[in-house]
Amino acid sequence: MESDHGWERHIEVLVFLYWPAHAASYTVVSQTFDIPKTSVHDIVHRVSRAVLGILRKVICFPTGDDLEAVGAGSAQLARSPAFSRAVGAIDGCHIRIKPPANNSHCYYNRKLFHSIQLQAITDHRGKFLDIFAGYPGSVHNARVLRNSPVYTGSLYPPPGKCILGDGGYPCLSAPICLITPYREPVQDPVQARFNSKHSRAWNIIERAFGMMKTRWRSVFFKALEISPAFVPEVVACCAGLHNLTLLNGDIVEAEDEEDHDDGLPKPHNPQARVGDHVRDNLAAAVSAPNICVAALREHDYL
């Protein structure tokens, strides 16, 4: 990082980390480090650009053996080998902001505060595989998904795999395979059993959001006093640093805060295909016995 003042690089990194971790304003950070407020502003922007420069190395889709490990992890979370096909969980999160000067009503969400949307996909450990931030808080999760690169470019999951979402998303087989739970009330024990297993595997993304909210309190527990245009950059940095901390074994306890969207909107993309049949097949696999009793093999109905 280029610097036009006397602060050493490690001081700049400390200033940047202190700001999102302590729910502190630029003024408080300035007083803590005895650095001018304008310098704090410049440091935060400069370090965030440096972090974004390595983002693709720490937030990326798994391939090969890593992909299979994610599937095995999902099966372990769900306590069902049928979920080895699931290679991620997707959900949205609201980032609080101060009401913008222009079009503030667009940022006012259903939870009655102004926000910007973060969409993320995580693996079985809570590591972010993909993030997409920037849409105003009033926009539904399903619409954010339809406009995200992972959806429009069919980037993930690969063929034969799926990701898990909650009831705020449509159940799809294309352009990406996204499996949601059955709507309540369920029709039979097979659906109920599937929903239970699905919830176990999908909840890892709630835990990932919870860990990130706990670590970066300034970003997730108070309204950011920065330009809405800068919010996606800050959130991306937090997600990247979250992954680095996980890889280094630095894990914090998650603070729960649900951000679910209610309802199940139908996909508006004419190329989208409903994934009910994929979900039904997965539900049947969940309820299928793992071990066939030897005596039953003697009968024709098998």
Side-chain angles (χ1 to χ4, degrees):
M1 296 180 296
E2 296 181 358
S3 179
D4 56 0
H5 48 63
W7 317 121
E8 295 184 10
R9 182 173 299 179
H10 72 278
I11 296 296
E12 294 196 346
V13 173
L14 287 174
V15 169
F16 174 78
L17 293 176
Y18 186 92
W19 172 61
H22 289 78
S25 65
Y26 286 166
T27 300
V28 172
V29 177
S30 171
Q31 295 171 349
T32 301
F33 287 87
D34 196 20
I35 293 176
K37 183 177 177 180
T38 54
S39 294
V40 172
H41 172 276
D42 294 341
I43 289 171
V44 167
H45 282 257
R46 182 163 43 249
V47 175
S48 68
R49 289 194 297 270
V51 174
L52 290 178
I54 65 168
L55 202 63
R56 291 184 180 274
K57 297 180 180 180
V58 295
I59 299 180
C60 56
F61 296 123
T63 58
D65 291 342
D66 291 337
L67 183 68
E68 296 304 317
V70 175
S74 296
Q76 185 175 7
L77 289 175
R79 300 179 184 176
S80 170
F83 275 82
S84 60
R85 182 177 179 179
V87 290
I90 186 171
D91 197 18
C93 175
H94 289 279
I95 313 300
R96 294 176 181 267
I97 62 171
K98 291 289 185 180
N102 299 319
N103 301 317
S104 63
H105 63 282
C106 294
Y107 294 87
Y108 197 67
N109 64 37
R110 61 182 178 78
K111 299 174 76 71
L112 308 182
F113 61 84
H114 294 82
S115 67
I116 282 179
Q117 286 264 35
L118 164 65
Q119 174 186 282
I121 300 175
T122 64
D123 68 6
H124 61 292
R125 299 167 297 176
K127 177 177 176 284
F128 291 110
L129 306 179
D130 180 71
I131 58 170
F132 178 63
Y135 265 75
S138 63
V139 179
H140 194 281
N141 278 358
R143 182 181 173 190
V144 176
L145 170 68
R146 290 196 303 270
N147 289 278
S148 63
V150 70
Y151 182 93
T152 58
S154 301
L155 302 181
Y156 193 79
K161 304 293 185 179
C162 68
I163 58 176
L164 307 177
D166 68 354
Y169 293 101
C171 187
L172 299 171
S173 61
I176 64 173
C177 189
L178 193 164
I179 303 302
T180 61
Y182 289 100
R183 300 188 70 174
E184 298 288 348
V186 295
Q187 302 301 311
D188 52 52
V190 171
Q191 293 186 0
R193 190 175 298 112
F194 171 81
N195 279 5
S196 176
K197 302 294 186 182
H198 180 286
S199 178
R200 287 179 180 275
W202 174 82
N203 274 333
I204 186 62
I205 191 165
E206 291 294 282
R207 184 167 182 266
F209 282 148
M211 287 190 290
M212 192 162 66
K213 290 175 181 180
T214 301
R215 192 182 301 278
W216 311 118
R217 305 187 68 85
S218 175
V219 176
F220 295 97
F221 281 116
K222 62 176 293 187
L224 284 175
E225 300 181 22
I226 58 177
S227 166
F230 185 45
V231 172
E233 185 172 323
V234 173
V235 172
C237 289
C238 291
L241 293 172
H242 165 85
N243 280 5
L244 287 176
T245 59
L246 284 186
L247 293 174
N248 285 278
D250 183 6
I251 301 175
V252 297
E253 289 297 325
E255 294 191 19
D256 297 329
E257 180 179 328
E258 296 185 356
D259 277 332
H260 308 316
D261 270 326
D262 298 325
L264 186 60
K266 296 181 180 180
H268 296 292
N269 185 345
Q271 296 179 341
R273 293 201 298 272
V274 176
D276 289 355
H277 66 288
V278 178
R279 180 172 58 191
D280 290 343
N281 290 339
L282 186 56
V286 168
S287 292
N290 295 327
I291 301 176
C292 183
V293 179
L296 296 180
R297 298 182 185 276
E298 302 174 2
H299 298 274
D300 293 338
Y301 52 74
L302 286 179

